[in-house]
Amino acid sequence: VPREIVDFAELRDAIDAPLYQFSAGMRQRLAMSLVLHSSPEILIFDEAFEAGDAGFREKSQKRLHEMLGGAATVLMASHNEELMRKECQRVIWIDEGRVQMTGDPNTVIDAYLAHELASVSS
């Protein structure tokens, strides 16, 4: 494994151990580091930025932002409103397998939150 990937994952002291000895968090950090140091045309994340401590999440999100400045297309399934508002150009709200709304992140997220609040109040 290249040194920059190991260093990003913060696993320098454990990288020689067998993978089965890694904790779930260590495996997630290594996987995220591998993905974020590749050059894919398309990246698909499903709640990927919920793992790890706050520092690692922030570092990973910064690296994603750098990738978005390049040619990568990113499809992200997330409930992280702040991340979506910051990084997404377009958001699709899906509820029970049906598209409810698509468009500008702020507009769609605000509509989603209003719907969720109305559901709780009912």
Side-chain angles (χ1 to χ4, degrees):
V1 178
R3 184 176 180 87
E4 70 181 278
I5 292 171
V6 173
D7 288 346
F8 188 90
E10 302 168 2
L11 295 172
R12 187 179 308 145
D13 294 340
I15 199 61
D16 292 327
L19 191 58
Y20 70 84
Q21 290 182 349
F22 280 27
S23 69
M26 292 167 76
R27 286 192 300 269
Q28 286 178 316
R29 286 199 319 262
L30 181 57
M32 181 65 78
S33 183
L34 285 165
V35 167
L36 293 174
H37 285 85
S38 62
S39 299
E41 289 181 34
I42 299 173
L43 267 174
I44 301 173
F45 289 114
D46 184 4
E47 300 289 355
F49 294 101
E50 303 309 313
D53 60 32
F56 185 77
R57 283 193 308 267
E58 184 171 328
K59 178 171 62 170
S60 296
Q61 289 174 14
K62 181 179 179 185
R63 176 72 179 122
L64 172 67
H65 183 76
E66 292 169 4
M67 291 177 80
L68 291 173
T73 297
V74 178
L75 174 64
M76 184 170 30
S78 180
H79 289 91
N80 185 329
E81 301 155 28
E82 181 182 334
L83 177 65
M84 290 188 299
R85 287 181 197 271
K86 179 180 171 188
E87 299 297 345
C88 296
Q89 296 172 353
R90 183 172 180 217
V91 173
I92 302 170
W93 166 21
I94 300 173
D95 188 14
E96 295 185 13
R98 294 193 174 117
V99 174
Q100 301 298 313
M101 188 177 196
T102 183
D104 169 72
N106 290 322
T107 303
V108 176
I109 292 168
D110 290 346
Y112 166 76
L113 292 174
H115 176 267
E116 290 298 301
L117 265 170
S119 296
V120 172
S121 299
S122 306

